[in-house]
Amino acid sequence: MLPELDIAPRDPEDVSPPEFYSDQGPRREIAPMKITFLMPGYVWGPSGGARVIYEYANQLVSRGHQVTLVHPRRCENSPNAPFQFGVMGILRGARNTQFKLREMFTKPPISWQRLDARVHLEYVPSPDSRHIPDADAVFATAWYTAAPVLDLPPAKGHKFYLIQGYETWMGSKPLVDETWRFPLHKIVVSQWLRRLGSDLGCGDIACVPNAIDHARYKITRAVAGRRKQVAMMFSSVPLKGAIDGIRALEIARHRHPDLQAVFFGAGRRQSWLPRWVRYYRNPSQDFIVNEIYNGSQVFVSPSWEEGFSLPVAEAVACGCAIASTASGGVRDYIQDGVSGLLSQPKDPAALADNLRLLLENDGLRLKLADAARASVNRLTWDSSAALLEVFVADNMNGISRSS
């Protein structure tokens, strides 16, 4: 039995062609810089947001910069250890104590992500300035790391804020909004976030898109001959819309009882997942690429909001057609009816209609998949890192240009 939701659909915003930050000229040499990223905490497993930061670290050290990733064990306002009363509070408290003990005596292995040996990894008790190295630039990477970065002394570097989502799902809206207005140089990863920042009255916002590793995420099986399988990334976080995705699949299965559904995610399989769903917990990236993405005709994304949505872009690069909600950042590279099919968030029936269109029209599926792949092909870490590098250097030199 799926949990009941009492929600009302909202209309997707109008979408204009994306305009990303540009260095407004040919690639130029940037003097070596010392750059620090203040991570949201210890990263114990695969995380899209952490992957982006680790990829930037790889790219920046390959360009001659010195990069340090500081992982604080605790941050004020971090959602990692919420307090609860009652039995659940006791159980969660015991679990948090277990996590704290683990973090005191061990450091998380980053086996799920390639990391250049030249990247410095620091694991520290807190984001206090004593634990932050002197540098030319320092980045906040989550809303609750913005205040610690703002409070750092000048020796720690010019202050930046990499925003990958509107993080009200893990913090109160007034507190999150306040960080957007901090006097930090802001980089967002999608035009939806840039417009949101403008609505919040923020200045100095640049849009540098996320990217994917095209050497890893690629077609390994023919797109035309794939079985009737639909893939979805699963999370129990309500914002990810998993219940909507399951309901859309249930509707589609009425007409296509042979439809196979495969989910993957970081958490344990939930008891309420239908038995017909195959679920893989923390599968390797090779398995995701070769068995899930390349084994599927369609990738479904039912999220209510997404800053960018890396899994959608990865699935596209592997040949999947996309049935997604118009959830924010995905609209920078998926255009409804041209490179995918988009529907309102929180509308499982509309999502199911788009899913059925793709399952029942092979020509349409292949056409949209090809167009989406052409769009995603322009999203490379080399180009995104170059834009981020120039933005940092420009702001250090007093040149402020946002787009």
Side-chain angles (χ1 to χ4, degrees):
M1 177 73 69
L2 295 180
E4 290 298 321
L5 293 178
D6 182 16
I7 52 179
R10 63 184 179 186
D11 291 331
E13 302 170 17
D14 291 334
V15 185
S16 56
E19 298 177 357
F20 299 125
Y21 182 77
S22 171
D23 61 6
Q24 299 180 353
R27 182 74 59 85
R28 66 182 193 264
E29 293 296 325
I30 304 292
M33 299 178 286
K34 294 181 179 179
I35 302 173
T36 302
F37 290 89
L38 179 58
M39 301 294 291
Y42 283 21
V43 182
W44 288 99
S47 160
R51 184 187 302 283
V52 168
I53 301 164
Y54 291 156
E55 287 286 0
Y56 274 130
N58 288 337
Q59 292 289 328
L60 291 169
V61 296
S62 73
R63 293 165 181 268
H65 306 295
Q66 181 177 316
V67 178
T68 301
L69 304 178
V70 177
H71 301 75
R73 190 162 66 236
R74 61 183 182 276
C75 282
E76 186 177 357
N77 293 319
S78 167
N80 295 331
F83 179 80
Q84 288 185 340
F85 291 100
V87 175
M88 289 305 298
I90 294 172
L91 292 175
R92 176 161 288 185
R95 187 162 60 247
N96 288 335
T97 299
Q98 177 186 2
F99 291 159
K100 289 176 183 177
L101 288 172
R102 178 177 65 172
E103 291 173 348
M104 287 178 64
F105 298 106
T106 62
K107 303 298 182 288
I110 309 176
S111 58
W112 50 273
Q113 167 67 34
R114 185 190 69 82
L115 200 57
D116 193 299
R118 292 169 292 182
V119 176
H120 297 277
L121 298 177
E122 297 289 342
Y123 295 91
V124 301
S126 73
D128 186 273
S129 63
R130 296 171 298 169
H131 307 305
I132 308 296
D134 291 353
D136 299 306
V138 56
F139 274 85
T141 60
W143 80 268
Y144 53 86
T145 65
V149 166
L150 182 66
D151 292 339
L152 290 173
K156 306 305 176 181
H158 293 258
K159 298 169 183 178
F160 295 83
Y161 188 5
L162 176 61
I163 302 174
Q164 298 192 57
Y166 188 41
E167 298 171 310
T168 54
W169 61 274
M170 63 173 179
S172 72
K173 186 178 186 301
L175 289 177
V176 173
D177 289 354
E178 182 184 9
T179 68
W180 282 63
R181 301 187 185 99
F182 284 169
L184 307 173
H185 303 298
K186 302 169 193 71
I187 293 178
V188 296
V189 299
S190 67
Q191 289 300 315
W192 172 68
L193 290 172
R194 187 184 65 82
R195 289 192 295 270
L196 179 60
S198 179
D199 292 343
L200 290 172
C202 307
D204 187 23
I205 299 180
C207 183
V208 177
N210 282 344
I212 62 171
D213 181 355
H214 292 278
R216 163 167 277 180
Y217 300 100
K218 60 186 178 182
I219 294 174
T220 60
R221 298 188 194 179
V223 177
R226 296 182 182 179
R227 63 180 178 270
K228 195 177 293 183
Q229 176 174 295
V230 175
M232 189 179 98
M233 193 192 78
F234 175 83
S235 170
S236 57
V237 174
L239 195 72
K240 297 297 184 179
I243 294 172
D244 296 339
I246 293 168
R247 287 177 174 161
L249 284 163
E250 287 176 334
I251 295 170
R253 276 172 57 85
H254 287 311
R255 186 174 296 181
H256 301 276
D258 58 337
L259 175 63
Q260 299 180 48
V262 57
F263 292 4
F264 64 99
R268 293 185 177 89
R269 182 186 178 103
Q270 298 294 307
S271 60
W272 47 266
L273 272 181
R275 295 179 65 182
W276 45 264
V277 171
R278 281 184 291 137
Y279 179 73
Y280 296 95
R281 183 186 184 190
N282 282 335
S284 70
Q285 289 300 304
D286 285 343
F287 186 88
I288 292 173
V289 169
N290 295 310
E291 302 302 325
I292 297 179
Y293 291 155
N294 271 276
S296 301
Q297 289 187 352
V298 181
F299 186 86
V300 169
S301 177
S303 293
W304 302 348
E305 287 182 1
E306 287 286 351
F308 185 82
S309 191
L310 280 176
V312 172
E314 293 167 357
V316 164
C318 295
C320 290
I322 299 301
S324 174
T325 53
S327 54
V330 71
R331 291 171 291 169
D332 280 358
Y333 55 92
I334 298 294
Q335 184 178 352
D336 185 34
V338 175
S339 49
L341 297 179
L342 303 180
S343 57
Q344 290 182 345
K346 306 179 182 180
D347 189 346
L351 186 60
D353 287 343
N354 285 341
L355 176 56
R356 287 199 303 245
L357 275 174
L358 294 172
L359 294 173
E360 295 167 6
N361 297 273
D362 223 37
L364 176 65
R365 174 178 70 86
L366 297 175
K367 177 183 176 181
L368 296 182
D370 285 345
R373 198 158 60 255
S375 178
V376 165
N377 279 344
R378 80 191 198 285
L379 301 173
T380 69
W381 284 117
D382 180 67
S383 60
S384 290
L387 294 177
L388 182 139
E389 178 188 47
V390 168
F391 182 74
V392 171
D394 281 353
N395 280 280
M396 286 175 51
N397 294 320
I399 305 170
S400 180
R401 289 185 276 104
S402 59
S403 69

